[in-house]
Amino acid sequence: MEYYNKVIESVGVRYMRGNNFKVERPITVTDYIEPDNTVILLHQGVLKFGEEQEVVNEGEILFIPAGRASRVTFGPATKRGEANNDTFVENKKKHLQSISFKDIKKVEEDCVTLVTFEAKVFDVVNFFNSLGIPPFIIRFNDRLASIIEDVVKESEQNTPGKERVIKLHTELLVVELVRHILKNRLFVEEMSTNSTYFKDPRLIDMFNYIKKNIGGDLSNKVLAKVANVSEDYVGQYFKMLTGINPQDYIEYQRMEAAVDLLRTTKKSIRDIGKEVGYKDTAYFCRRFKMMYGLPAGKMRRRESLINVQG
């Protein structure tokens, strides 16, 4: 149990977005994906996911880890109602209409509550993504459903302490999510074998160094000095504890930093690339598109659309 307490304590949580939606026009998103973890609570109607289109029952929750693409159907969509994620985001208002909690019981259409949140180990590694777990349904968990509702209810308020309360609710959401996984013995082996980040302080030193120097020299030679291991061994050592080689991890973190800058600043694509460690803008753009499936400029427009539409 102490092991899992350490896992939970190591995860930093940040609320991103939350809203209630009624389904105006049913749609199947063939590759639904979010850069953050997503929980979708079904109040009424139809919600399905995966290639087998597994059914989420009313009152149940679909959990999609950050960066995991899944086929998701909102409402009774037909084959003609399919679209990829980019098209869905650009036309989101046509399909999902934002509503308040007091209106949920009044509407006849299918409706859901959707919350996205960050969960990062030492503010560096996407926790649920790093476990390698697929999207899954959380069944018969009224407490978790209530917490999701409370997060969005609080976001609809304009009262003192709102941000603090949302933060507390979101942290509680993550704790209950981990408890649900453990109680139902879902992906426990993955959690045991993949949550090795905090076992060796040298690895933490490398994580922190990478985070603070994301735009600088992060070669294996530099990382070897940080961890006080040989340059020949540092790659093997890093992969042994994390499951990926250090340069792949560094590129992922650089791209995550780039996405954050696209979200929060008006800096040019060229300046963002340089800030996260890419001297060649064209190379940065190629790698960005390869990782996220769309150009950096389009990602910025996508995030703007999402923020405007709630």
Side-chain angles (χ1 to χ4, degrees), residues 15 18-20 41 43 99-102 104-105 113-115 145-159 162 165-166 169:
Y15 168 80
N19 216 326
N20 307 301
L41 168 63
H43 292 285
I99 59 171
S100 66
F101 261 107
K102 64 182 180 181
I104 285 179
K105 293 181 180 178
T113 294
L114 191 151
V115 172
S146 178
I147 293 167
I148 292 167
E149 290 185 353
D150 287 344
V151 170
V152 180
K153 283 177 182 175
E154 190 65 31
S155 73
E156 291 180 353
Q157 304 299 316
N158 190 21
T159 51
K162 168 182 171 178
V165 172
I166 289 174
H169 282 323

Side-chain angles (χ1 to χ4, degrees), residues 9-163:
E9 286 300 314
S10 72
V11 177
V13 177
R14 184 158 67 115
Y15 168 80
M16 302 304 289
R17 288 186 295 273
N19 216 326
N20 307 301
F21 296 103
K22 66 176 179 178
V23 181
E24 286 282 327
R25 187 184 298 175
I27 185 171
T28 295
V29 187
T30 56
D31 57 342
Y32 184 93
I33 189 168
E34 289 276 1
D36 305 300
N37 303 288
T38 304
V39 285
I40 306 174
L41 168 63
L42 178 64
H43 292 285
Q44 62 189 38
V46 176
L47 179 65
K48 301 176 184 177
F49 85 104
E51 292 306 311
E52 301 298 319
Q53 288 291 272
E54 190 174 351
V55 174
V56 181
N57 296 310
E58 292 179 1
E60 294 179 345
I61 301 153
L62 173 59
F63 173 62
I64 307 175
R68 298 282 179 199
S70 183
R71 187 182 184 88
V72 177
T73 298
F74 296 94
T78 62
K79 185 75 176 175
R80 294 174 64 186
E82 289 188 358
N84 64 28
N85 195 64
D86 286 351
T87 302
F88 169 65
V89 170
E90 289 172 4
N91 298 281
K92 187 175 178 182
K93 273 192 171 180
K94 292 180 182 178
H95 298 281
L96 302 182
Q97 185 68 47
S98 179
I99 59 171
S100 66
F101 261 107
K102 64 182 180 181
D103 293 327
I104 285 179
K105 293 181 180 178
K106 300 176 186 176
V107 300
E108 296 181 0
E109 295 92 339
D110 301 31
C111 56
V112 299
T113 294
L114 191 151
V115 172
T116 62
F117 60 93
E118 228 177 45
K120 291 189 173 181
V121 179
F122 300 105
D123 296 322
V124 178
V125 181
N126 271 322
F127 176 61
F128 293 107
N129 179 283
S130 71
L131 297 180
I133 62 178
F136 64 93
I137 297 174
I138 299 167
R139 302 194 189 277
F140 318 118
N141 194 321
D142 292 341
R143 179 165 169 75
L144 200 46
S146 178
I147 293 167
I148 292 167
E149 290 185 353
D150 287 344
V151 170
V152 180
K153 283 177 182 175
E154 190 65 31
S155 73
E156 291 180 353
Q157 304 299 316
N158 190 21
T159 51
K162 168 182 171 178
E163 300 302 324

